[in-house]
Amino acid sequence: MMSTETQSIRQKLATYLAQLPPPAVLKLASGLEREKLRGTTGLPYEMILSGLRPLLASLRGARPGKPDPLRQFCRPFEDLLIDGDDDGRRQGSIARGTVMRVWAWLEEELLPDALPDLTRRIIDHTLKGDSVALEAAVSVLHASAAQAILTATDAARSNAERRKQLEQRLGGEVGMDDAREIGAVLSIAAPMLALQAELPKRIDNFTDDMVTALRDAYIETSETFPNEALYLPFMVMNRLEEPSQILRFVRKVAHQRNDVVISRSELAIFGETLLAEMDEIARRLHARRAGQADLEPMLEDVRRFAQLSRGFASEIDLHRNSEWGQRVLAGRARVSAAVAQEMSRFETELIRALPFHQIGQYGRGGPMKPDLAKGPDRAREERMRACLRFVSGMTPICESLGAQSHCRSVRQQIEAHIGTYEDKLLEELRVAQGAARVNAQDFLETVAGFYEALGESGQAEVLRRRGRVAMGN
């Protein structure tokens, strides 16, 4: 069990490392791995490297440096690693925290004699630059670890006491499942590494040549490892900028675009994986209370849902009455409802941030002018900026969610109120004196900031120029 002090140190270290620019991250990781291979003592290698690994995984291009035995062990499944322990675990994802538990399990129990010898050989061959001998030693490491892990986890499944002990060691049931996936991937390490080398680290567009390469590797691997071959497309899926493009591979193997046929095929799991993420996003957004949480995470969720929804519909023929079609439509409806509920309060927030007050005794329909008795309420201003950034972010994606009518209506209401306020404010700037004039200037900058939050920087600069003219500058 990690002590509270150690956890605090790790958190501070992770925060510091996250601030480093990519070149510094690569240089630091390469230097640490080099010194670790040489046997240099006195540095907390694993603590620092564990903080660097999530950063390294996000970088494009080949990773420099000389891999140590642990990194060589992880290479076949490195594309499947995720940060944190995922309670909603799916096949094809392995928590990073499981890796060190499995490595310690191999060192202490499964391969106590063989692993030290293998790690020494890997280090020696790496330092000598003997690539042929290194490849052979790494291959033995993968095969030995795979057999040991799969044998032990299979045995534990039929023995309640042993299963309990193993779950305690590996971090619970999810940790044990992760360990078994590590063993499964290591059993097909050769085709995994070959496909990794053939494809880019990040794939902007999953071309037909890439799809064909995956299909050929999958079919060939399936002949010997029919269950484990699925990890090849899972690996590729995690490299895709548009995850739904994995359905191009599914189509190529199934020779079908029909969602009903694909949903009943052996590769339906990839459609189910995409739908499961969409379902989870829709559930999370539906459970939100309007105005009670930060809008940035909500916007990221909505963007992700829109990306998956668009991709799903473009890659296969999605039928309205099919099971998959119904799930996509239901998800869109829930997301659209959550967005509408959130945006329904934006006009009220705007009125509070840019307040008017009535002139004379004409009733509620009488003339209004900006209330300049005091300056902008900064808390309301910041809340409104967040609302406007949300509106701006929603504008290009609302149509794919079926929310374009509501988004357009809210934006029009907001722009109408800001436009009216802007005109009235400029009138006041021409005649206001003292504190009212200062407050008018502050409100003008607030309005300009609102335009910028809406993505209308040009409009913001026009307003600032008009304000200088109104003040006689």
Side-chain angles (χ1 to χ4, degrees):
M1 182 72 69
M2 191 185 302
S3 70
T4 302
E5 183 178 359
T6 303
Q7 284 181 319
S8 176
I9 293 172
R10 284 185 179 275
Q11 289 171 353
K12 290 178 181 178
L13 178 62
T15 301
Y16 169 74
L17 294 175
Q19 299 171 0
L20 295 177
V25 171
L26 292 171
K27 186 174 181 180
L28 177 58
S30 298
L32 286 168
E33 288 174 340
R34 182 178 61 251
E35 295 307 313
K36 185 179 178 184
L37 283 171
R38 290 173 176 172
T40 305
T41 59
L43 287 172
Y45 292 106
E46 197 47 50
M47 181 178 288
I48 301 174
L49 286 170
S50 66
L52 288 172
R53 285 181 188 120
L55 304 175
L56 292 165
S58 67
L59 301 180
R60 290 176 177 266
R63 181 175 157 187
K66 297 180 178 180
D68 64 4
L70 177 59
R71 185 172 151 199
Q72 292 282 15
F73 171 74
C74 295
R75 279 177 57 213
F77 56 86
E78 64 184 5
D79 288 289
L80 307 180
L81 294 173
I82 60 172
D83 297 328
D85 295 318
D86 187 1
D87 293 333
R89 188 187 179 283
R90 64 167 174 81
Q91 185 178 2
S93 65
I94 298 168
R96 290 183 187 279
T98 303
V99 174
M100 292 309 300
R101 299 187 192 112
V102 171
W103 186 253
W105 184 34
L106 288 166
E107 283 183 318
E108 298 165 10
E109 186 175 336
L110 299 185
L111 299 173
D113 298 322
L115 192 59
D117 179 61
L118 283 168
T119 56
R120 280 194 298 272
R121 289 173 184 270
I122 290 171
I123 291 171
D124 289 344
H125 298 325
T126 300
L127 293 175
K128 292 176 182 177
D130 189 341
S131 59
V132 175
L134 174 61
E135 184 178 348
V138 171
S139 179
V140 172
L141 169 65
H142 292 157
S144 301
Q147 182 177 4
I149 291 169
L150 294 176
T151 299
T153 52
D154 286 344
R157 286 179 172 179
S158 59
N159 184 313
E161 183 59 31
R162 178 55 182 153
R163 182 185 185 109
K164 182 179 178 182
Q165 293 173 353
L166 195 53
E167 287 180 354
Q168 289 177 341
R169 170 160 206 154
L170 297 174
E173 183 179 353
V174 171
M176 183 171 163
D177 288 342
D178 278 348
R180 198 180 194 296
E181 291 215 44
I182 288 174
V185 177
L186 291 176
S187 68
I188 57 166
M192 286 288 283
L193 293 172
L195 192 60
Q196 285 176 4
E198 187 172 354
L199 299 179
K201 180 69 174 174
R202 297 302 300 172
I203 301 173
D204 297 318
N205 181 36
F206 197 26
T207 65
D208 192 58
D209 287 344
M210 295 179 189
V211 174
T212 300
L214 172 57
R215 181 203 60 186
D216 293 347
Y218 171 77
I219 291 174
E220 183 179 350
T221 305
S222 296
E223 293 175 359
T224 309
F225 299 95
N227 297 322
E228 291 77 9
L230 279 175
Y231 291 105
L232 291 164
F234 271 123
M235 178 269 288
V236 175
M237 186 177 182
N238 287 343
R239 291 189 172 198
L240 296 175
E241 290 290 346
E242 295 280 350
S244 54
Q245 290 182 0
I246 196 64
L247 295 174
R248 298 177 185 179
F249 156 74
V250 176
R251 286 194 334 243
K252 202 171 191 72
V253 174
H255 303 290
Q256 288 281 347
R257 288 187 61 95
N258 187 302
D259 71 320
V260 176
V261 175
I262 290 174
S263 68
R264 296 170 182 167
S265 74
E266 63 181 5
L267 298 175
I269 188 170
F270 296 100
E272 291 291 342
T273 298
L274 295 168
L275 286 167
E277 184 176 356
M278 292 169 67
D279 289 343
E280 172 56 25
I281 292 173
R283 183 206 61 76
R284 190 161 59 238
L285 293 177
H286 184 72
R288 280 177 55 100
R289 292 183 60 193
Q292 298 299 308
D294 188 357
L295 286 172
E296 279 299 319
M298 181 180 184
L299 182 57
E300 286 306 307
D301 271 347
V302 176
R303 282 175 174 152
R304 177 66 171 178
F305 185 94
Q307 176 192 31
L308 293 170
S309 177
R310 283 196 306 263
F312 207 104
S314 67
E315 296 297 342
I316 63 173
D317 294 333
L318 201 60
H319 294 78
R320 179 176 292 273
N321 295 322
S322 68
E323 179 189 351
W324 283 5
Q326 287 291 304
R327 286 175 65 181
V328 171
L329 289 174
R332 286 178 185 169
R334 297 180 81 184
V335 172
S336 180
V339 168
Q341 182 181 25
E342 190 69 47
M343 294 179 72
S344 65
R345 66 183 179 86
F346 287 2
E347 189 177 12
T348 300
E349 291 281 0
L350 182 60
I351 292 170
R352 290 171 178 167
L354 300 178
F356 280 103
H357 75 83
Q358 189 175 327
I359 306 170
Q361 304 296 322
Y362 298 98
R364 297 186 64 179
M368 308 285 284
K369 70 176 185 177
D371 185 352
L372 302 178
K374 56 184 178 180
D377 183 314
R378 297 307 180 188
R380 287 178 175 174
E381 178 182 344
E382 186 50 45
R383 281 200 301 272
M384 194 62 226
R385 282 178 188 263
C387 295
L388 296 173
R389 287 193 293 268
F390 187 87
V391 171
S392 177
M394 282 297 305
T395 300
I397 62 175
C398 59
E399 186 172 354
S400 63
L401 301 171
Q404 63 269 35
S405 177
H406 189 79
C407 291
R408 189 182 302 118
S409 174
V410 170
R411 182 161 188 144
Q412 289 172 347
Q413 292 168 3
I414 286 171
E415 289 176 343
H417 185 89
I418 293 178
T420 300
Y421 190 89
E422 173 186 341
D423 292 339
K424 298 289 186 181
L425 183 62
L426 290 169
E427 291 176 12
E428 290 300 308
L429 266 175
R430 295 185 182 97
V431 299
Q433 300 293 325
R437 185 179 179 85
V438 172
N439 291 339
Q441 290 174 305
D442 289 343
F443 270 113
L444 184 135
E445 188 56 37
T446 294
V447 175
F450 286 175
Y451 276 127
E452 289 170 339
L454 269 176
E456 303 286 352
S457 298
Q459 191 75 10
E461 287 308 308
V462 169
L463 173 60
R464 291 187 177 105
R465 288 198 296 270
R466 292 182 69 193
R468 289 194 290 270
V469 170
M471 291 184 293
N473 294 338

